Amino acid sequence: MPHTSRPRFGIMTAPMQVDYHDVLRVWREADTVPEIEHAWLFDHLMPIGGDPNGPVHEGWTLLSALAAQTWRLRLGLLVTSNRFRPPAMLAKIATTVDIVSGGRLDFGIGAGSRPSHPLARREYDAHGLPFHDSAHAVGSLAEACTVVRRLWTEPEPFDFHGTHVSLTGAFGNPKPVQRPHPPILIGGRSAPVLRVVAEHADIWNVPGGDIDDVVRRSALLDRYCAEIDRDPASITRSIHVPVSYEQPGSTRDAIGEAIDAGFRHIVLGLSEPYPANVARWVADEFITPG
C-alpha cells in the first residue's frame, strides 16, 4: 500500500480496573496535546483482564461524558460489540455522542467477542444477552452497518427486513453533526469480517502483534475490495499497539513496523495505572520527530 499520508496517532484507555476520574484525567490531558488526534475506549460489560470482579464502565455512556469534557480529540469505541445493542438503538446512541462532541465521533463497531475468550464470553450470560455463532455475528454486523448508515442519512422513515434485523418505520431524528455521517471503523481480522470491512468501512482496525499476519490480512482486504470494485486506498488502515512504559523501545519498534506496513492510524493502548502526564510522555516518546 503506498504511503500517501502522515500517520495519525491516538490513545486507548480501556475503562476497566480504573476510576472514572483516572480516565477523565488522561483524556483531558490528551485533549491539550496536539500530536494526539484521537482517543478510544473499549466495549465490555465485565473485565477481560485483572480482577474478574473489578470495576468496568459502560463504553458509550462513558464516551458521551468524555465527549462533553473535551473539545478537540476525535473519539470512539474500539470497538462496539454489535452483539450488545440493537442497531437502531445503537444508531441513536452514536448520533447523540456525535452531537455532544460537536461532530467528533468515529463510529467503531465489530462482530463481538470470540467464544474462545472465556472472560469476554461470560458477560453475555451475566447480562442475559444471546451469544450466537460466528456466522450469525458477521451477518448481523453487515446488516447493522446498513441500518445504521440509513438511519443517519435517510430523510424519511423506512422498513428493513433482513435475515437478522427487522425494522418497521425506522427513522433517525436528529441526524449526526457529521455529513454524510460519522466515519465507520470496523475492527477484526477474520476473512468474513474483512468482507464486511470492504463493503462498509471507512477505517479498518486490527490488533497489533504478529506484523506478518497483519500484512497478510491487509492484503486480503485489498483483494476483497477489488472483488467489489472498491479502491483499497479508500479504507484507512488502523492498528492497536500496546504501550510499554518500562520498554518504550519495543513500542517504538512496533510503531515503525506498522507504519512501514502502510498503517496510518495508530492507536496506542495505555495500561492502568496511568502515570502522571502520560499523554505528554506518549507524544514525546513515540510521536514527535527526533
Side-chain angles (χ1 to χ4, degrees):
M1 169 180 262
H3 299 175
T4 57
S5 61
R6 67 175 180 83
R8 296 182 180 275
F9 289 87
I11 60 168
M12 178 178 176
T13 54
M16 65 176 182
Q17 315 296 358
V18 293
D19 183 84
Y20 162 64
H21 295 285
D22 293 328
V23 179
L24 178 60
R25 168 177 62 86
V26 175
W27 280 53
R28 279 177 166 169
E29 181 191 348
D31 204 41
T32 69
V33 178
E35 296 91 339
I36 298 174
E37 300 185 46
H38 42 96
W40 303 85
L41 303 171
F42 74 10
D43 193 28
H44 285 283
L45 303 176
M46 302 179 81
I48 59 170
D51 179 2
N53 297 320
V56 62
H57 303 283
E58 195 280 322
W60 279 100
T61 309
L62 181 57
L63 188 67
S64 191
L66 295 169
Q69 296 278 348
T70 55
W71 64 270
R72 182 188 58 83
L73 292 166
R74 296 200 63 81
L75 43 83
L77 264 60
L78 200 67
V79 287
T80 306
S81 171
N82 186 52
R83 300 176 189 265
F84 286 171
R85 306 165 191 85
M89 179 66 73
L90 180 58
K92 177 68 72 173
I93 293 168
T95 295
T96 301
V97 173
D98 198 51
I99 291 169
V100 169
S101 70
R104 292 184 284 128
L105 176 68
D106 287 335
F107 178 71
I109 191 169
S113 304
R114 300 182 305 278
S116 60
H117 196 315
L119 285 181
R121 176 68 179 84
R122 69 186 180 123
E123 61 193 346
Y124 295 87
D125 294 336
H127 290 83
L129 296 169
F131 195 91
H132 301 290
D133 62 23
S134 296
H136 184 287
V138 174
S140 297
L141 174 63
E143 291 185 9
C145 289
T146 297
V147 164
V148 168
R149 184 184 288 106
R150 291 185 66 181
L151 284 163
W152 282 344
T153 59
E154 295 201 6
E156 301 293 338
F158 64 91
D159 297 343
F160 181 91
H161 300 293
T163 302
H164 307 286
V165 179
S166 184
L167 306 173
T168 301
F171 185 59
N173 186 21
K175 303 298 186 191
V177 172
Q178 297 180 82
R179 295 290 188 269
H181 55 74
I184 296 174
L185 178 152
I186 298 178
R189 66 192 318 142
S190 72
V193 168
L194 290 176
R195 288 192 179 276
V196 180
V197 172
E199 183 177 357
H200 292 283
D202 302 296
I203 308 168
W204 166 56
N205 179 267
V206 64
D210 184 347
I211 193 65
D212 292 332
D213 180 66
V214 168
V215 169
R216 288 191 295 270
R217 301 291 171 172
S218 186
L220 183 59
L221 176 57
D222 289 348
R223 195 181 90 196
Y224 291 157
C225 287
E227 290 176 1
I228 62 172
D229 199 28
R230 181 176 183 184
D231 179 4
S234 68
I235 302 176
T236 299
R237 310 302 162 105
S238 172
I239 191 168
H240 175 270
V241 177
V243 167
S244 172
Y245 304 134
E246 293 77 22
Q247 296 180 308
S250 63
T251 304
R252 198 175 300 108
D253 290 344
I255 293 170
E257 289 179 338
I259 292 173
D260 289 344
F263 286 79
R264 287 293 179 271
H265 187 273
I266 313 295
V267 181
L268 300 174
L270 306 182
S271 59
E272 52 80 27
Y274 308 122
N277 303 313
V278 65
R280 183 70 263 170
W281 178 82
V282 162
D284 291 343
E285 194 72 35
F286 304 121
I287 305 174
T288 305

